[in-house]
Amino acid sequence: MRRRLLTFVLAVAPVWGASLTTADRDALLSNFTKSTAMFTKSVEGLSVEQWNYKAGPDRWSIGECAE
């Protein structure tokens, strides 16, 4: 998933009107890696019950949000 998103962003950037410089790509990859690590750390200690808990039938669980 992570690689597909990054590949997509890098592939369509020129279509948005400007190509990415090497510095832009490096910054994007660095920020993506950091945010992925932060997210993973924030959910790594959750139990199955916490991962699947829903505050109500019309609410999403943490696991559903993560997907």
Side-chain angles (χ1 to χ4, degrees):
M1 168 77 176
R2 180 178 144 183
R3 274 204 161 119
R4 284 186 278 160
L5 176 61
L6 183 59
T7 301
F8 172 77
V9 169
L10 295 177
V12 300
V15 176
W16 291 332
S19 60
L20 292 175
T21 65
T22 300
D24 291 336
R25 289 174 195 255
D26 290 345
L28 176 65
L29 182 56
S30 176
N31 288 336
F32 189 71
T33 300
K34 287 177 188 175
S35 64
T36 300
M38 288 172 56
F39 173 76
T40 301
K41 185 177 178 182
S42 74
V43 298
E44 69 185 4
L46 296 177
S47 67
V48 173
E49 291 80 17
Q50 290 170 318
W51 183 257
N52 293 314
Y53 173 76
K54 293 184 176 190
D58 61 335
R59 304 292 182 186
W60 287 17
S61 68
I62 293 172
E64 289 171 326
C65 290
E67 287 177 10

